[in-house]
Amino acid sequence: MKDKQCRICEAVCKNKAIDFNQTVEKKEIQVGAIILAAGLEPYDPKVKKEYHYGDFANVVTSMDYERLLCSTGPYAGEVLRASDMKHPHKIAWIQCIGSRRVTPGDNSYCSSVCCTYTQKQAMLTKDHAADAECTIFHNDIRAYGKDFERYYDKVEKLPGVRFIRSYTSIVRENPVTKNVTVRYATPDAGVKEEEFDMVVLSVGLNPPKDAKSIAEKFGIQLNARNFCDIAPTNPMATSRAGIFVSGGFQGPIDIPESVFSASGAASQVGELLNYRRGKLSREREYPAERDVSKEEPKIGVFVCHCGANIGRIVNVPETVEYFKTLPGVVHAQEQLFSCATNSAKQITDVTREKGLNRVIVAACSPRTLENLFRDTVREAGINQYYFEMANIREHDSWVHSKEKEEATRKAKDIVRMSIARAGRLEPLQEFDLPVDKAALIVGGGIAGMNCALSLANQGHEVHLVEKQSELGGIARRLHSTLEGIDVQAYLRDLSAKVYKHQLIHVYHSATITDATGYVGNFVTTVRSEKGITAIKHGATILATGADLHTPTEYLYGQDERVMTHLDLEERIAARDEKISSAQSVAMIQCVGCRNEERNYCSRVCCSESVKNALSLKKLNPQMDVSILYRDMRTYGFKEDYYREASENDIKFIRYEPDDKPAVQAGESDAGKPVLKITTTDFVLGKKIQLDADVIALAAAVVPASSTKEMAGRFKVTLSQDGFFKEAHAKLRPVEFATDGVYLCGAAHYPKFISETINQAYGAAGRAMTLLSNNIVVASGSVCEVNAFKCFGCAACVAACAYNALIMVDTRQGKKVTINPVLCKGDGLCNAKCPSGAIQLKHYTDDEMLSEIDAVIPDDGILQQMDAAIATM
C-alpha cells in the first residue's frame, strides 16, 4: 500500500468494505512452483523535457489517448482537447518515445508494439471523425506480426492519413490556440514546421517498476535492462529452478506472445508438478436445471456497450427501451461490458430473480464469448441452450460506424430476430466422450520436439511424425542466433532427449494418408519407415514448419554469386573461402514478401541479415557490407544488434518498393568481375551504384508445402497468406476452431527460435487441458434424421466433411443415419436435404424461419415468394 492515498473509494463505499487503517494479515503459502507474470510499465515522457509532456496542454501520451478513445474515459469516448474541450481535427503521433535511444532516460531496445497500436489509434480516430487529419512521424514501421503488414497498408490508404519518416522535435505551443508546432525533415522540402491541434507521444514500454524487488524476493536474476534474465532456448525459465516467467516480464512482447507464453509456463509447471495433477481440483457444481419447457417464454435482453465499440455507434439506451415493448420480453437492460465478471454475475442473478427462461446478450461475436454466457444461464438453473447471442458489433457497429441511426435500427432488427428465435429454443443435452490420452504431433522441428517433450514429461504418449529422414526441420540450416546460440548443438541435444524418451515414438520419412475422428478420439494413418500405422490419439498438434521462397529476381539462379540469406549463413559457418575473402557483400531485404503476392512481413529476415553481417565483419573486418532495406524490423532486444552493426561500419541503405534495386553483372573500375547494384540513396537524394562480390537475398518465409494438405486432413483453416489460422489471434493463439487440434511454430507464422519454443510449450499447455481429462463434453447442437421423410438420396452423406452420416439398409429401403459423436453441427447436410428429413438442433427450420418473419414485415412478400417457388 502506498503512503499517499486519495481515499475516495473509502468515502463512497456504502458497505464499509474498505478500511485504510486495517492491517493486512501476512500469510505464508507453500507452493511447488511459481509463475511470474509481472506486467510492463509505459515509459514516462516527463523524464525528458524535450517532449514538453505536462507543460503543453495538448501534448498527450498514447496511453492518455487510449483513455480518450474509450467510452469509460474522461469524456465518455469523445476525443477532446484538455485546453478548450474541442475536438482536435489535426493530430500528430510521434513514434519511438523512450525507445531505440541510448541517451540517459531512454531505452536502447524497441518496444515492439508501438507502431501497430499507433496505427490502431489513427484508424479509431478516423472512425470518430472521418475528416480528421492524422500524421504519424516514424523511423521504421515495424509491422512484423501476423496480418500486421496488411493492417498497415489499410491504415496508410485511409484518406487524411500521412506516414512521414523523420525524426521530430516539439518546438512550441501557441499561447492563444494551444496548438503545438512540430519540426521535422522531408527529403524534398528540407526542414519544415507544422502546427497540430494535438500531439500524441507513442510511448514505449519499461520493465515492471518493482522488477528489482521481485528479483530480490524470489531470488532470480535480471538482465541489463531490468527484465527477467531468460535463456533463449527456454524463455519461460528463470535463473532459479521452479520459478517461471510469462508475458511482458520476458521483454516487450505483444498480446498473442503473452498468451502462449502463459500457457507455456503453465505446461512447464505441469511437468514439475505432474505427480499432483488432479489431487487438488474440485469439479464445478451447477444448480439443478429447472424444466421450463412448458412455460411461456420469459425473455431477458442484456445489451452490451462493449466500451466504445458498440455504445459509440449504436444508441444502446434507445434499443433497450424498444426491446421492452416486444412480445415475450420481461426484462431488458444495458451493460458496459457484459463479459466482465460482475456483469456476468448480474445476468445470472437477474435470470434467477425474475424467473427468466430465455436469455439474450446483444454484444460481440458468439465465437468469442458464447461459452461464457451459456455458463451464466447454467448458474441460474436453466438449460444453456436457452441462451441466444445477438452479434451487434461485428455485424453492425463495426461495419456501420459512419451511420449511427442506421446502425441503431439494425441493432433493433438483429435483436428482434433473436427474440423471435429465443421463443422457439429447446433444451438440449450435451454428452460425454472418452479421451484417448495420447497426442499426435505433425512436424519434427524445434516446435514439434519441444511440444513432444513437454507432453511426454507430463506422462502422455506422443507420436511425432516427421516427413524428413531426420528431425530438426528448417533449423538444420541455421548455425547461430543473434544471441549466440549454437543452433546445431542445441538441435543435437534436443533430438537426443526426444529419442531417449520412452513415451515418444518418432516416425521418419512419414506421410499422413488419412485422418479421421473427433476431439479426444482421433485416428491418423501414417506411412513411414515403420510401415503403415493407424495411430489413435486424443489431441493433434500441427507443427509443420515453413519453407523458404525461391527468388525469381536479382539474378538468383543465374549467377552463383547471388544466394539466399540461409545459403550465406551455411557458407559462413563452413568458412567458405569465397565468402571470407570477398571484399564486398550486399544484402537485399524483403525478397518475395511485402508485395501483392505475399502481403506480409517474414519477421526474421532483418535480424538474420544483421546476424550474417556481424559474422562477416568478424571473419573479415575490412569487408564492405551493405544492407538494402525497406524498414529494419529488429524489434525488441534485437535493436541493440542493429545498433552494433551500424557501429561496425555496416551500411544501411533504404529503398522504396516502387524503386527497387537493380542488379546486373559487370566489372569494377579495376576490371574485376562484380555484381553491380543500382539503387536510390534517399539520404543523398540520388542514384548510387554499389559493387558486390556476393549478394544475399532475404527470401520470404512461406508456408510449408504440406500445409494445405494437412489443413484438409485435419479440417482446419488457413489464413489469407496460407499459414494455419488460429481460432482467435489474441484469445486462442495456439488453437484451431476445430476442437482438439492445436498449432505452434512457423506453421502458424514466421518466428524466431525463442518465440517458437514459447509457442510450442503454449500448445502443449493447451493440449494438456484436454488430455488431462478422462472425458470431453460434446455439443448438443447436432443433426437428427427423420427416417420417415428420408428417401435415401445420400446428398447429405456427400456433403458431410466429418463422415458423420452413413447409409443403412432398412425395411423401407436405404436410409441415412447419423453418428452424433462425429457431427460438428455445421448444417451442410440439412441444407442439402431436398425432403427436409434432417434438422440441426438449435438451428431448426422453425427457429430460423421465425427470425426471417421477424425482420421482414408481413406484407405478403413471403406469400408471393412461396407462390413463385411453387410454380417452378
Side-chain angles (χ1 to χ4, degrees):
M1 188 177 292
K2 297 180 180 178
D3 293 334
K4 295 181 180 179
Q5 301 285 347
C6 69
R7 302 175 73 120
I8 293 175
C9 52
E10 184 181 27
V12 300
C13 182
K14 296 178 180 178
N15 299 322
K16 304 300 179 185
I18 299 172
D19 182 2
F20 279 85
N21 299 314
Q22 184 178 355
T23 302
V24 178
E25 182 184 353
K26 293 183 179 179
K27 290 186 178 180
E28 211 172 77
I29 304 173
Q30 290 187 339
V31 295
I34 296 170
I35 298 176
L36 301 177
L40 297 164
E41 296 284 343
Y43 173 82
D44 183 1
K46 288 182 180 178
V47 173
K48 306 282 284 187
K49 291 293 183 183
E50 63 189 274
Y51 302 128
H52 297 285
Y53 179 67
D55 299 328
F56 294 173
N58 296 317
V59 175
V60 301
T61 70
S62 46
M63 298 298 103
D64 298 331
Y65 197 77
E66 195 80 19
R67 291 295 300 147
L68 290 176
L69 290 166
C70 184
S71 63
T72 59
Y75 310 123
E78 283 197 78
V79 178
L80 301 176
R81 303 196 325 164
S83 63
D84 53 17
M85 295 293 113
K86 292 181 179 179
H87 293 278
H89 174 70
K90 195 174 181 182
I91 307 174
W93 281 261
I94 301 177
Q95 296 287 94
C96 301
I97 300 297
S99 302
R100 301 186 66 185
R101 297 176 69 176
V102 292
T103 50
D106 290 314
N107 297 315
S108 64
Y109 55 83
C110 165
S111 292
S112 302
V113 301
C114 318
C115 288
T116 303
Y117 81 55
T118 295
Q119 295 162 28
K120 177 202 74 174
Q121 289 182 348
M123 181 173 284
L124 290 175
T125 300
K126 296 293 288 184
D127 283 342
H128 277 254
D131 61 344
E133 296 178 14
C134 302
T135 303
I136 298 173
F137 294 103
H138 65 94
N139 186 358
D140 299 292
I141 290 293
R142 293 187 165 171
Y144 59 85
K146 192 171 186 178
D147 291 327
F148 284 13
E149 182 72 18
R150 191 169 282 108
Y151 191 82
Y152 166 42
D153 285 350
K154 182 178 180 181
V155 176
E156 189 179 31
K157 292 173 182 174
L158 289 174
V161 174
R162 293 183 295 166
F163 282 82
I164 298 177
R165 188 187 296 267
S166 175
Y167 289 108
T168 61
S169 60
I170 296 175
V171 181
R172 59 185 168 272
E173 179 186 63
N174 187 309
V176 178
T177 65
K178 300 300 180 182
N179 288 350
V180 181
T181 298
V182 174
R183 181 182 294 148
Y184 61 96
T186 65
D188 302 323
V191 177
K192 294 179 64 176
E193 291 188 358
E194 189 171 348
E195 194 173 85
F196 294 90
D197 300 337
M198 180 180 283
V199 173
V200 182
L201 304 177
S202 296
V203 295
L205 300 173
N206 286 346
K209 283 183 180 178
D210 52 353
K212 291 182 179 179
S213 173
I214 292 172
E216 184 179 339
K217 288 176 181 176
F218 291 98
I220 63 168
Q221 294 179 2
L222 302 178
N223 62 22
R225 307 170 188 91
N226 282 334
F227 289 91
C228 186
D229 189 27
I230 55 178
T233 53
N234 189 352
M236 291 143 288
T238 68
S239 56
R240 184 178 178 187
I243 299 182
F244 304 91
V245 62
S246 68
F249 202 16
Q250 292 182 339
I253 57 177
D254 210 342
I255 293 174
E257 287 80 9
S258 295
V259 172
F260 56 66
S261 72
S263 293
S267 191
Q268 295 206 22
V269 170
E271 294 179 39
L272 189 64
L273 303 181
N274 186 52
Y275 70 99
R276 296 286 284 163
R277 191 180 301 279
K279 296 180 181 179
L280 297 176
S281 61
R282 291 178 297 175
E283 187 174 351
R284 186 174 182 181
E285 294 184 1
Y286 291 94
E289 187 176 295
R290 62 189 179 95
D291 182 6
V292 300
S293 58
K294 302 293 191 297
E295 297 178 8
E296 287 294 317
K298 297 176 66 177
I299 302 170
V301 180
F302 299 84
V303 186
C304 179
H305 282 260
C306 195
N309 282 289
I310 295 172
R312 184 171 50 84
I313 308 300
V314 175
N315 188 334
V316 173
E318 180 183 323
T319 63
V320 169
E321 293 305 312
Y322 170 72
F323 300 143
K324 290 178 179 178
T325 68
L326 298 179
V329 176
V330 298
H331 177 79
Q333 72 172 82
E334 55 189 288
Q335 294 179 312
L336 186 58
F337 289 101
S338 295
C339 59
T341 303
N342 62 318
S343 297
K345 185 178 184 305
Q346 184 183 53
I347 294 172
T348 299
D349 293 343
V350 170
T351 301
R352 188 184 294 117
E353 292 165 7
K354 293 184 176 290
L356 304 180
N357 55 30
R358 307 287 193 280
V359 174
I360 296 169
V361 173
C364 57
S365 167
R367 176 178 164 220
T368 306
L369 293 168
E370 185 174 48
N371 288 336
L372 167 69
F373 293 123
R374 283 185 172 180
D375 196 65
T376 63
V377 300
R378 286 189 70 185
E379 288 283 3
I382 62 173
N383 188 281
Q384 62 179 310
Y385 288 93
Y386 283 129
F387 170 76
E388 168 72 1
M389 196 160 183
N391 186 350
I392 61 171
R393 190 180 72 177
E394 285 86 343
H395 290 177
D396 190 9
S397 65
W398 277 5
V399 291
H400 300 292
S401 59
K402 305 292 191 301
E403 304 133 349
K404 296 186 178 182
E405 290 185 8
E406 290 82 354
T408 300
R409 285 200 297 270
K410 185 174 180 180
K412 293 177 182 179
D413 288 343
I414 291 172
V415 178
R416 189 170 69 251
M417 293 165 68
S418 293
I419 291 170
R421 181 171 183 263
R424 291 164 174 78
L425 293 177
E426 298 176 352
L428 302 176
Q429 298 303 320
E430 298 181 330
F431 47 96
D432 297 339
L433 303 173
V435 175
D436 190 301
K437 298 291 186 174
L440 173 79
I441 299 177
V442 184
I446 287 177
M449 286 191 284
N450 275 289
C451 189
L453 284 167
S454 186
L455 290 172
N457 287 339
Q458 295 177 72
H460 293 273
E461 192 173 11
V462 178
H463 301 272
L464 183 59
V465 177
E466 169 54 43
K467 65 180 179 181
Q468 302 294 338
S469 58
E470 58 181 312
L471 299 175
I474 200 170
R476 294 203 307 272
R477 299 187 63 186
L478 299 174
H479 295 270
S480 65
T481 67
L482 270 174
E483 297 82 7
I485 299 174
D486 183 336
V487 178
Q488 295 307 306
Y490 169 69
L491 279 179
R492 287 191 295 272
D493 178 62
L494 188 64
S495 301
K497 290 178 180 177
V498 168
Y499 287 125
K500 288 178 182 177
H501 207 296
Q502 295 182 343
L503 291 178
I504 300 177
H505 311 284
V506 181
Y507 302 78
H508 297 103
S509 304
T511 304
I512 294 177
T513 60
D514 192 27
T516 59
Y518 47 91
V519 56
N521 294 271
F522 295 104
V523 180
T524 301
T525 305
V526 176
R527 181 187 293 113
S528 67
E529 83 282 2
K530 297 180 180 181
I532 297 177
T533 310
I535 301 171
K536 295 181 179 180
H537 54 103
T540 305
I541 296 98
L542 299 182
T544 52
D547 291 334
L548 198 67
H549 166 65
T550 301
T552 57
E553 51 194 326
Y554 302 122
L555 300 183
Y556 183 83
Q558 303 172 42
D559 193 311
E560 63 177 8
R561 295 170 293 180
V562 181
M563 61 194 71
T564 67
H565 49 355
L566 284 189
D567 296 331
L568 177 62
E569 175 166 352
E570 290 179 305
R571 293 176 69 170
I572 291 172
R575 296 294 193 271
D576 189 311
E577 178 64 24
K578 291 183 178 179
I579 300 298
S580 58
S581 63
Q583 292 182 343
S584 60
V585 174
M587 305 176 191
I588 302 176
Q589 301 302 109
C590 301
V591 177
C593 62
R594 298 189 68 190
N595 54 27
E596 288 187 9
E597 183 180 1
R598 298 180 192 88
N599 192 16
Y600 62 87
C601 167
S602 291
R603 192 177 183 122
V604 300
C605 313
C606 288
S607 296
E608 171 74 8
S609 292
V610 167
K611 177 190 71 178
N612 286 341
L614 289 170
S615 298
L616 289 171
K617 279 292 189 178
K618 289 178 182 177
L619 279 177
N620 181 0
Q622 305 306 315
M623 185 183 297
D624 186 14
V625 182
S626 302
I627 297 179
L628 284 69
Y629 71 98
R630 288 177 57 186
D631 293 281
M632 285 304 296
R633 293 181 170 176
T634 46
Y635 60 92
F637 297 151
K638 293 174 175 60
E639 177 69 17
D640 292 332
Y641 298 99
Y642 175 26
R643 185 177 297 103
E644 180 186 346
S646 182
E647 292 169 352
N648 277 273
D649 198 30
I650 294 167
K651 300 177 181 64
F652 291 87
I653 303 169
R654 186 172 63 85
Y655 74 88
E656 291 290 341
D658 55 358
D659 186 16
K660 294 166 64 174
V663 176
Q664 61 181 7
E667 292 184 351
S668 66
D669 293 341
K672 174 188 172 184
V674 294
L675 293 162
K676 288 192 169 291
I677 305 172
T678 304
T679 188
T680 300
D681 189 314
F682 288 91
V683 175
L684 300 175
K686 64 178 182 179
K687 289 281 187 181
I688 61 171
Q689 195 170 75
L690 307 175
D691 291 347
D693 298 318
V694 174
I695 293 179
L697 305 180
V701 179
V702 297
S705 57
S706 60
T707 301
K708 191 172 183 179
E709 179 189 353
M710 291 302 103
R713 294 277 187 207
F714 292 100
K715 309 295 188 299
V716 298
T717 55
L718 299 178
S719 71
Q720 198 169 342
D721 300 311
F723 294 97
F724 287 126
K725 184 176 178 61
E726 63 276 34
H728 191 285
K730 292 180 173 63
L731 303 180
R732 298 172 65 192
V734 295
E735 301 170 65
F736 286 105
T738 301
D739 294 335
V741 188
Y742 308 87
L743 76 159
C744 60
H748 165 254
Y749 191 69
K751 48 182 63 70
F752 291 99
I753 287 175
S754 59
E755 295 170 333
T756 295
I757 295 168
N758 246 341
Q759 195 178 26
Y761 276 95
R766 295 307 300 161
M768 280 301 301
T769 62
L770 168 64
L771 297 177
S772 61
N773 292 300
N774 294 321
I775 60 169
V776 62
V777 178
S779 170
S781 179
V782 295
C783 290
E784 61 180 351
V785 180
N786 183 336
F788 294 104
K789 290 186 177 181
C790 175
F791 53 79
C793 70
C796 56
V797 177
C800 182
Y802 301 96
N803 301 316
L805 297 165
I806 57 173
M807 299 299 296
V808 295
D809 290 317
T810 70
R811 293 180 179 179
Q812 291 78 32
K814 284 190 175 294
K815 302 284 185 179
V816 71
T817 186
I818 186 167
N819 181 349
V821 171
L822 294 179
C823 180
K824 295 298 178 185
D826 61 13
L828 286 176
C829 56
N830 65 304
K832 276 277 189 179
C833 181
S835 64
I838 301 181
Q839 292 286 299
L840 174 59
K841 295 178 181 179
H842 203 56
Y843 297 95
T844 64
D845 290 351
D846 185 41
E847 291 165 1
M848 304 305 288
L849 289 171
S850 70
E851 293 190 80
I852 297 173
D853 291 339
V855 79
I856 297 178
D858 186 12
D859 54 5
I861 294 178
L862 292 180
Q863 290 80 357
Q864 295 174 29
M865 290 173 63
D866 290 340
I869 292 171
T871 60
M872 293 175 63

